[in-house]
Amino acid sequence: MEPQLGPKATEEDWSAVFVHAGAGYHSVPNEPAHREACASACRAAIVFLKNGGSATDGVEMALKSLEDNEITNSGYGSNLALDGTVECDASIMEDSGRSGAVGAVWAFKNPSALARLVLDNARKPLSLKRVPPVLLVGHGALAYAKEHLFPEVDNKALVTRHAHARWNKWRKELDIVEQQERATNKRQRVSRQPSPAVKPASEKATVKAPIHADNEDLVTDTVGCICVDRWGNVAAGSSSGGIGMKHRGRIGPAALIGVGTWIAREGQSVVAATCSGTGEQMAHTLIASKAVNRIIAMEDEIEGLKNSIEEDFMGSRIVKESIMSSAVGIMAVRIDKDSSKGRIKFFYGHTTDSMVMAHMTPSMKDPETVMSRNRNNPETCLGGKSIQASKLAAE
């Protein structure tokens, strides 16, 4: 995104960064580590924004910081697929509407950087009037990266000890379930033949629904970032290792513009959102775009966000009829350049146990972190604040 010098460029500095590290359950013992992951991402982005970097630069730097931190489910330390492989999704969008995304990629330390490459190259014309891609997945993304000399890593370098331990635990639980299913199918096949009495249901082996321990995180989805540069340009992005034990090739909301990330402009007002939660349900409901539309349409932005979570997501037919657990978390930012107050509004909502976020502006010595804990799950937990735009120093 090229900086756009407007008539107010010497009056106000809109620079700000907002990040979240996923919605789910963040254990109390690990809370400081989750807060610090968000704070570190803010620091990485604000360095670029303070020195005239674009909003897109800030988003890329923040996402890379989150991907490099093993406590997040993105990049290094991501959840593992059924076969024990890390596969990641990422996207970056600008308020111009331009975007770049990659999905189901397994050979890159920072999938967000590859998404940025796709975004930047989408500005360049191709021969024979071909249209540059904005979303590349799997082997196609790998070939594209090779063509552009993008650095690769061995997939094993992305697997952490904790992620592998989780995979081993889930693999054993899945084996038990599969054994029970095979036994059930066998009984059904021979049910018409004389057979010994089957044990009553109370004596059959059962698998209890998993209950998280107090010191165990259950954060299984997207991290995200929204940045505003000094000229008021906005960019947003998401990155994720996806759900644990997923099928190889599964594309999650972090790669899907309008689902995990969305930005819309109406006049001088810009609203951006990045989301986390149950990916397949998010995809069916197009929740990021619907949340942004609600926020733009309503004077009370938090009420608009609440309506989107409760009506567009939780109230949707696909969620109501789903046999899966349903969860969503949304972080959003609104900037109104016509406002005489020069404020950026930051707000969030989630139905999960917790959601961790942070924000920072150039005038702040340290990032401000928030661990929002929902005492009424699955009801919606909401919050937000206004941030004053800074004055640019004289050039």
Side-chain angles (χ1 to χ4, degrees):
M1 179 186 294
E2 296 296 329
Q4 298 174 7
L5 293 173
K8 293 186 178 181
T10 58
E11 297 177 12
E12 291 174 325
D13 181 358
W14 294 96
S15 299
V17 53
F18 307 84
V19 303
H20 75 81
Y25 173 75
H26 302 80
S27 72
V28 174
N30 287 340
E31 181 173 325
H34 288 291
R35 286 178 178 265
E36 181 55 33
C38 290
S40 294
C42 285
R43 295 188 192 100
I46 209 70
V47 168
F48 279 78
L49 297 177
K50 285 174 66 174
N51 289 281
S54 70
T56 309
D57 291 331
V59 169
E60 181 186 359
M61 291 304 106
L63 291 180
K64 287 170 69 174
S65 175
L66 291 166
E67 289 166 348
D68 291 344
N69 193 318
E70 70 171 288
I71 203 166
T72 72
N73 179 33
S74 60
Y76 176 67
S78 290
N79 285 327
L80 305 185
L82 269 171
D83 65 354
T85 302
V86 168
E87 275 195 347
C88 296
D89 306 319
S91 63
I92 300 178
M93 182 179 183
E94 298 174 344
D95 60 10
S96 64
R98 196 181 302 276
S99 64
V102 293
V105 293
W106 62 86
F108 310 109
K109 181 172 180 281
N110 295 115
S112 60
L114 184 56
R116 171 71 187 275
L117 177 65
V118 174
L119 167 61
D120 287 344
N121 287 340
R123 310 177 203 276
K124 304 172 184 177
L126 295 177
S127 60
L128 301 177
K129 297 183 178 181
R130 290 175 297 151
V131 179
V134 295
L135 169 61
L136 291 165
V137 301
H139 288 283
L142 180 61
Y144 184 89
K146 289 180 181 291
E147 178 185 345
H148 292 88
L149 305 179
F150 192 85
E152 299 175 39
V153 298
D154 189 297
N155 192 264
K156 293 179 181 178
L158 303 177
V159 180
T160 64
R161 178 172 57 86
H162 292 295
H164 194 265
R166 287 197 304 270
W167 179 81
N168 271 327
K169 176 185 174 183
W170 292 337
R171 182 72 259 180
K172 291 176 182 177
E173 292 175 355
L174 187 59
D175 287 343
I176 293 173
V177 172
E178 289 176 344
Q179 290 174 9
Q180 290 182 328
E181 289 176 347
R182 285 194 295 269
T184 299
N185 292 336
K186 183 177 180 180
R187 285 196 297 271
Q188 289 174 346
R189 286 196 299 269
V190 301
S191 61
R192 297 179 183 177
Q193 301 175 9
S195 60
V198 179
K199 289 183 178 180
S202 61
E203 294 181 29
K204 296 178 184 177
T206 59
V207 177
K208 297 182 180 179
I211 300 175
H212 59 70
D214 289 340
N215 63 346
E216 181 183 4
D217 292 323
L218 287 177
V219 186
T220 59
D221 208 76
T222 310
V223 303
C225 174
I226 301 170
C227 279
V228 187
D229 64 26
R230 65 167 57 181
W231 298 278
N233 302 308
V234 183
S238 301
S239 182
S240 179
I243 56 176
M245 310 304 286
K246 66 184 179 182
H247 288 280
R248 290 290 302 273
R250 179 256 191 189
I251 304 297
L256 302 176
I257 298 298
V259 176
T261 303
W262 187 248
I263 308 176
R265 179 189 294 273
E266 186 174 277
Q268 291 298 303
S269 180
V270 181
V271 176
T274 175
C275 309
S276 176
T278 310
E280 280 65 25
Q281 294 171 352
M282 291 168 61
H284 278 111
T285 57
L286 299 173
I287 189 58
S289 61
K290 289 186 178 178
V292 166
N293 291 341
R294 292 258 192 182
I295 293 167
I296 288 177
M298 295 191 67
E299 186 173 342
D300 186 336
E301 293 90 351
I302 291 183
E303 186 66 20
L305 179 59
K306 180 175 184 288
N307 290 346
S308 185
I309 291 174
E310 295 182 352
E311 297 176 23
D312 298 329
F313 187 79
M314 298 301 291
S316 68
R317 181 176 176 181
I318 193 71
V319 171
K320 284 182 174 181
E321 296 180 354
S322 177
I323 60 173
M324 301 179 293
S325 60
S326 304
V328 70
I330 303 174
M331 182 184 75
V333 168
R334 180 170 190 161
I335 174 174
D336 188 350
K337 296 183 185 179
D338 282 340
S339 172
S340 59
K341 297 180 181 179
R343 287 182 176 176
I344 302 172
K345 295 182 179 180
F346 156 63
F347 31 90
Y348 57 86
H350 58 99
T351 62
T352 56
D353 288 312
S354 57
M355 187 170 182
V356 61
M357 294 151 286
H359 72 273
M360 191 176 188
T361 65
S363 62
M364 296 170 62
K365 182 179 179 181
D366 294 301
E368 181 177 316
T369 62
V370 176
M371 176 63 80
S372 174
R373 295 199 178 273
N374 189 351
R375 299 182 183 278
N376 299 307
N377 179 357
E379 294 182 14
T380 306
C381 183
L382 298 157
K385 68 181 298 184
S386 293
I387 299 169
Q388 188 73 35
S390 304
K391 296 296 181 182
L392 278 170
E395 297 291 340

